[in-house]
Amino acid sequence: MIFEEIKKKATAYLQDLESTTNIRVGTPTCGKAAGADDVIIEFRKELEKKGLEIPLIEVGCMGLCFAEPLVAVFKPQMFTILYQNVNTQKVKRLIEGYIEGDDPCFEMALGTLEFDENGLPFIPELKRSEFEKRILLRRCGIVDPKNILHYIGLGGYKGLEQALGMSPDRVVKEINDSKLRGRGGAGFPTGIKWEKCANNSSKKKYVICNADEGDPGAFMDRVILESDPHQVIEGMLIAGYAVGANEGFIYIRAEYPMALEIVRNAKREAEEFGILGDSVLGSSFSFHLRIIEGAGAFVSGEETGLMAAIEGKRSEPRVRPPYPSEYGLFGRSTLIDNVKTFSYVPWIIENGAERFAKIGTENSKGTAIFTLAGKVKNPGLTEVPMGTTLRTIAYEIAGGAPNEREIKGIQIGGPSGGCIPNSLFDSPVDYEVLLSLGSMMGSGGMIFMDENDCVVDTAKFFLDFVQKESCGKCTMCRIGTLQLLHMMEKITKGLANLEDLDKLKNLAEDVKIGSLCGLGKSAPNPVLTTLHYFYDEYVAHVAEKRCPALVCKDLLAYFIVPAKCDRACEHCKLTCPTEAIGGVIGEPKYIIQDKCVKCGTCMNVCPPEYSAVIKVSPVDKLYELKEKGV
Amino acid sequence: MKMEQKWDDDEPTLIQALIDIQKGLGFLPPEKLREVATSFGISEAYIWGVATFYNIFRFKPRGKTHIKVCMGTACHLSGGGLVAEAAERELNIKVGETTDDQDFSLERVACVGCCMLAPVVVINDRVYPRMSPLKLEEVLIEFKRDKKED
Ligand SMILES: Cc1cc2nc3c(=O)[nH]c(=O)nc-3n(C[C@H](O)[C@H](O)[C@H](O)COP(=O)(O)O)c2cc1C
Ligand code: FES
């Protein structure tokens, strides 16, 4: 089928869809975990009961994870309304309210879905919409990820069509002019990488999409693959055409079974429609795509490690140069970019480099996607212009910390990034600015911490992660991170002294210098930034044996305040997993400290009207409290 | 260039072959690794080297109920470690082990992409959101009861 015909078919599909009321339920991994499958089943049942033939489409994620399960009701000539936290009990009301009738069911509504003059979606009722700019996310949660016609109907593969009408050099120039930088972490200028690969005389070349997303707290690549997979494939096709590669790979981590399934389906569809294959859109350009399942290793995300994995080896990074563009997969010239990097490409080709380069800061152009997790009211995903301040993201978009607490820091970029304190939240997001603060853009995962989170414990957590994930090739990374971990354990156990903090800092700096790849080079960042910005907390652990956030188990104890204990209530006693609670009915309960495993159950089950269980740190405080007879 | 040939012929490569075995059996038994070594014409030691490098490969059978406790960043911050300890206590095994009766196995994973529902536990591919030591105990008691009944 020629592309003109496909487009006609797609337009007809879209017109059909838009001429009827239709329901879209977000069922990405996060939506499913929140119960979206049950909502779908309930919708089917209720619609059937009423004999209503209304299309029910499963879509991806809009990034508004706090509102999941999220349901959008599209009605011709009426507002599209988004409903939040829909459960099976609300389905009937929704059908009778807005789907059959004219009652917008305001009590469940999150807002209306509208599009700006550039066709980018926003939700006027949400204040965060003022600060967001959805380029990569513009179709996420709207388009049916399992229907290529929907994607094409919304203008998909137009960028590819346009690119095929340009010379490959011209496409590379466009990417160069856009000043797009890699979104996989390091921020290398994408155009330069493309140019090097295009200029390589190798007959056979490869394009690889890095969807390993190893940061244990970032999930934007998953969201893009699950919500709008064709966008990534289109970007890879354009890249293949520009650099002269006819084969591509998408490397997806095994922990994302749904992303794998959706991308496999998208590939099949694209092949059926002649978009992937021997003659892309009827041209003389051929491009074949393969999908590879990762086997779970953080270093596999490093580009040379990733290529080793595809070659069936241990994922050990190697020295660069030679860079993949000179000597890559199976020794061929290879272009490797992140999911987001490829996803920007179709938009840039369609809208022109200049429009992309207008967004952002001097050296960081376009938008940036961050995952928002940890202690914030509105966790999820956001896409903002580069240059947006951390404060805007933390408070206007993520909604600040819950329960009137204060955000004390943001860990940006996962285990390779650093922790930035609240006092520096006026800094804009920009590759160089984040680096200058000791952190980095990295994966774009943001983890928010409040007073109840211990930065020392968090730094220890990241070290534990990288130490386990180190491939073992460089001594400094293999043994150095282990030593750092031991030091951190000493600190969190209250066994360290002030001198140890200097040793910690020195070794952390040595590990940075003595490692070959980004894993070891950046592994000390969480320790170094927290030492720098939160030195007091380290001192409290070391000098006072006190964990200010009451997290480090060895430095805290649970205590039941006798005066507050109801005496007749036995909640804590009945639920304690180790029978560590003493005291008979009528007497205040007390904790048998030797038996206590500090799981926190007693504190959670103590009825809020008593709130008799408290945590104390340092442990010695316990004796003080007992002596005082509190 | 042997591997590249495999790509060109669209045959499964080494890691995919191992993933496929594990999908079928739940783990990689030594005799299967031997078979793969023969069919790929590489040494068994090499295959062990590759297989033990990656986190998803297991060399012991899984339990009938497989429990994955998320220890990603968000889950860690909201008490995932306490949940993992509770699972260890309740099942009387350590992370990475299987119970003697082969009913349960326990594993830690790093982020399953549901950070806003932290801490999460995945049991037989179903995500259990917002867990606590107590909630996990309750879920496990259910599972144990179901086991007894059938
Ligand atoms: C330890 C380590 C892990 C990495 N993990 C990823 C990853 O999960 N995804 C990714 O796109 N890049 C990752 N990278 C960066 C890649 O090496 C490479 O820079 C990137 O794929 C280039 O794509 P870009 O130019 O689009 O950013 C990692 C780097 C290191 C050192
Ligand atoms: S950290 Fe557990 S789901 Fe992401």
Side-chain angles (χ1 to χ4, degrees):
Chain A
M1 215 187 306
I2 53 170
F3 196 52
E4 285 312 313
E5 270 175 51
I6 300 173
K7 273 197 285 193
K8 260 191 221 141
K9 217 172 135 183
T11 314
Y13 166 82
L14 203 66
Q15 274 171 356
D16 248 15
L17 186 66
E18 283 173 354
S19 66
T20 62
T21 298
N22 63 85
I23 308 165
R24 301 187 201 175
V25 183
T27 55
T29 306
C30 37
K32 277 193 198 295
D37 278 342
D38 294 340
V39 171
I40 296 248
I41 293 170
E42 188 69 16
F43 261 118
R44 285 220 183 90
K45 217 167 70 192
E46 284 296 319
L47 290 174
E48 199 177 327
K49 242 198 250 163
K50 290 184 179 283
L52 289 173
E53 278 195 32
I54 289 176
L56 186 63
I57 302 175
E58 293 189 29
V59 293
C61 174
M62 287 192 146
L64 308 168
C65 302
F66 62 93
E68 257 161 3
L70 192 66
V71 173
V73 178
F74 287 69
K75 280 183 93 166
Q77 273 88 51
M78 303 270 278
F79 280 115
T80 298
I81 304 183
L82 299 170
Y83 295 97
Q84 59 181 335
N85 306 119
V86 177
N87 54 28
T88 48
Q89 283 106 48
K90 293 182 182 168
V91 167
K92 198 159 169 219
R93 161 98 180 97
L94 255 182
I95 295 182
E96 286 167 2
Y98 197 51
I99 294 165
E100 279 187 308
D102 288 328
D103 171 5
C105 302
F106 279 130
E107 77 282 4
M108 288 187 253
L110 176 71
T112 54
L113 181 67
E114 295 178 30
F115 295 88
D116 68 9
E117 66 276 17
N118 300 314
L120 302 182
F122 69 104
I123 301 160
E125 292 82 0
L126 289 189
K127 185 144 184 260
R128 63 191 268 165
S129 265
E130 281 172 43
F131 306 98
E132 296 188 305
K133 190 171 184 78
R134 292 170 169 257
I135 292 183
L136 291 194
L137 297 181
R138 69 189 180 283
R139 279 181 296 248
C140 294
I142 295 172
V143 74
D144 179 354
K146 290 193 172 164
N147 185 348
I148 192 172
L149 286 178
H150 200 168
Y151 178 75
I152 296 175
L154 291 172
Y157 288 113
K158 221 161 87 191
L160 173 66
E161 191 185 21
Q162 252 169 286
L164 292 177
M166 294 153 68
S167 71
D169 287 350
R170 181 81 198 106
V171 177
V172 174
K173 185 172 180 303
E174 205 61 30
I175 298 302
N176 243 329
D177 291 348
S178 74
K179 302 210 174 75
L180 173 65
R181 294 172 65 174
R183 298 301 199 249
F188 190 82
T190 307
I192 297 182
K193 210 149 80 173
W194 285 34
E195 197 171 279
K196 273 199 194 158
C197 194
N199 291 340
N200 191 290
S201 56
S202 171
K203 259 205 217 97
K204 192 166 182 174
K205 294 179 191 175
Y206 292 113
V207 171
I208 300 177
C209 173
N210 188 343
D212 194 47
E213 193 152 72
D215 168 5
F219 49 90
M220 59 282 269
D221 292 357
R222 166 180 75 69
V223 166
I224 292 174
L225 293 170
E226 286 179 359
S227 312
D228 194 9
H230 285 289
Q231 174 171 243
V232 185
I233 297 179
E234 185 176 358
M236 291 181 73
L237 274 156
I238 297 173
Y241 175 73
V243 303
N246 305 106
E247 268 175 74
F249 296 93
I250 306 187
Y251 187 94
I252 304 178
R253 69 195 293 238
E255 287 87 340
Y256 289 171
M258 188 166 170
L260 273 160
E261 181 200 319
I262 288 185
V263 175
R264 285 198 175 112
N265 179 69
K267 176 199 163 192
R268 221 173 303 127
E269 285 182 307
E271 282 167 351
E272 260 166 47
F273 282 89
I275 290 168
L276 280 170
D278 288 333
S279 163
V280 173
L281 298 184
S283 71
S284 59
F285 168 59
S286 80
F287 195 81
H288 294 266
L289 185 68
R290 254 169 280 194
I291 292 151
I292 302 183
E293 220 171 304
F298 181 54
V299 266
S300 294
E302 198 278 341
E303 51 191 26
T304 58
L306 190 148
M307 293 186 296
I310 300 182
E311 291 169 358
K313 300 179 190 147
R314 292 161 72 99
S315 241
E316 283 173 8
R318 60 157 176 81
V319 184
R320 295 170 306 170
Y323 286 93
S325 56
E326 303 148 49
Y327 188 94
L329 185 63
F330 302 118
R332 319 278 190 187
S333 170
T334 302
L335 176 74
I336 173 163
D337 277 317
N338 170 265
V339 173
K340 284 154 279 170
T341 315
F342 281 123
S343 301
Y344 280 113
V345 169
W347 192 89
I348 292 173
I349 298 295
E350 252 177 76
N351 295 278
E354 210 178 304
R355 264 188 64 196
F356 187 82
K358 262 201 200 129
I359 309 166
T361 62
E362 182 64 30
N363 292 312
S364 304
K365 299 296 186 192
T367 56
I369 297 194
F370 293 103
T371 46
L372 317 169
K375 303 295 170 61
V376 279
K377 282 192 197 133
N378 305 328
L381 209 67
T382 188
E383 181 171 5
V384 292
M386 290 276 190
T388 305
T389 64
L390 294 173
R391 195 169 300 284
T392 303
I393 296 175
Y395 292 95
E396 306 295 348
I397 294 175
N403 306 329
E404 323 259 310
R405 290 198 297 260
E406 195 47 81
I407 299 177
K408 77 174 170 196
I410 313 177
Q411 172 81 23
I412 306 178
S416 318
C419 185
I420 298 178
N422 197 315
S423 56
L424 294 173
F425 279 5
D426 289 318
S427 318
V429 289
D430 171 291
Y431 289 97
E432 277 68 31
V433 171
L434 290 183
L435 268 182
S436 74
L437 298 177
S439 183
M440 63 190 254
M441 200 74 88
S443 56
M446 283 192 178
I447 304 281
F448 294 83
M449 290 189 267
D450 69 14
E451 302 116 79
N452 292 352
D453 296 311
C454 172
V455 293
V456 184
D457 175 72
T458 312
K460 185 181 84 178
F461 163 79
F462 284 122
L463 262 181
D464 181 49
F465 178 80
V466 286
Q467 187 272 323
K468 288 201 174 83
E469 294 293 335
S470 166
C471 77
K473 187 166 176 164
C474 309
T475 318
M476 264 306 183
C477 177
R478 182 182 67 240
I479 314 269
T481 54
L482 184 65
Q483 284 308 322
L484 286 175
L485 180 62
H486 288 332
M487 289 166 142
M488 292 299 283
E489 276 166 357
K490 242 171 105 180
I491 296 172
T492 54
K493 287 197 164 112
L495 302 173
N497 53 37
L498 279 172
E499 247 169 62
D500 288 327
L501 294 184
D502 292 331
K503 281 193 207 152
L504 181 71
K505 183 158 183 269
N506 291 341
L507 181 58
E509 273 158 4
D510 290 344
V511 170
K512 252 177 123 93
I513 301 165
S515 302
L516 174 74
C517 87
L519 189 143
K521 275 197 186 27
S522 59
N525 285 349
V527 173
L528 286 170
T529 48
T530 48
L531 263 176
H532 184 70
Y533 296 122
F534 298 93
Y535 192 69
D536 290 353
E537 283 196 35
Y538 278 84
V539 173
H541 282 74
V542 171
E544 301 170 46
K545 317 291 175 216
R546 178 172 68 90
C547 174
L550 299 169
V551 170
C552 295
K553 265 181 149 182
D554 294 287
L555 303 183
L556 67 86
Y558 282 84
F559 181 69
I560 300 177
V561 183
K564 286 189 167 183
C565 177
D566 176 62
R567 292 160 194 244
C569 149
E570 299 244 284
H571 279 53
C572 54
K573 204 170 168 180
L574 294 173
T575 50
C576 174
T578 57
E579 297 177 358
I581 308 225
V584 288
I585 288 209
E587 301 266 310
K589 309 290 169 301
Y590 59 90
I591 294 175
I592 306 162
Q593 296 294 338
D594 321 342
K595 283 193 179 174
C596 176
V597 288
K598 302 176 188 176
C599 70
T601 300
C602 52
M603 197 166 171
N604 291 336
V605 296
C606 183
E609 60 269 34
Y610 312 137
S611 301
V613 185
I614 57 168
K615 288 195 261 188
V616 296
S617 178
V619 180
D620 288 348
K621 219 166 157 187
L622 212 52
Y623 308 109
E624 234 173 80
L625 284 171
K626 281 188 185 155
E627 249 162 49
K628 269 199 239 151
V630 176
Chain B
M1 284 286 125
K2 222 176 133 274
M3 280 293 178
E4 187 170 20
Q5 195 56 49
K6 288 234 180 234
W7 279 118
D8 289 347
D9 299 343
D10 221 353
E11 282 178 38
T13 54
L14 183 55
I15 291 173
Q16 191 63 50
L18 298 179
I19 290 177
D20 292 344
I21 294 173
Q22 175 149 312
K23 274 192 187 148
L25 301 174
F27 75 114
L28 299 177
E31 58 281 6
K32 280 282 173 195
L33 289 185
R34 208 166 301 137
E35 274 172 36
V36 178
T38 316
S39 77
F40 276 76
I42 44 184
S43 75
E44 234 177 287
Y46 181 87
I47 296 209
W48 278 97
V50 171
T52 49
F53 185 87
Y54 295 96
N55 297 332
I56 63 162
F57 295 124
R58 299 173 56 88
F59 305 95
K60 276 184 282 177
R62 280 183 172 191
K64 283 175 214 107
T65 301
H66 186 59
I67 302 162
K68 294 191 253 188
V69 182
C70 180
M71 299 281 249
T73 318
C75 290
H76 170 81
L77 282 181
S78 49
L82 297 175
V83 176
E85 281 173 19
E88 290 185 334
R89 220 172 21 240
E90 197 58 28
L91 298 171
N92 210 2
I93 51 173
K94 292 265 162 256
V95 167
E97 295 179 347
T98 305
T99 51
D100 288 338
D101 55 10
Q102 309 279 314
D103 276 349
F104 294 96
S105 49
L106 185 62
E107 187 182 34
R108 62 180 271 178
V109 290
C111 194
V112 291
C114 305
C115 308
M116 52 285 164
L117 303 169
V120 304
V121 173
V122 184
I123 304 181
N124 295 341
D125 287 331
R126 179 168 157 213
V127 178
Y128 289 75
R130 300 199 179 91
M131 293 305 278
S132 67
L134 187 61
K135 273 197 202 162
L136 183 83
E137 271 174 42
E138 285 165 3
V139 173
L140 288 182
I141 289 170
E142 285 286 304
F143 269 94
K144 283 183 180 165
R145 188 179 315 138
D146 291 350
K147 281 261 148 67
K148 277 216 190 92
E149 274 166 17
D150 45 60

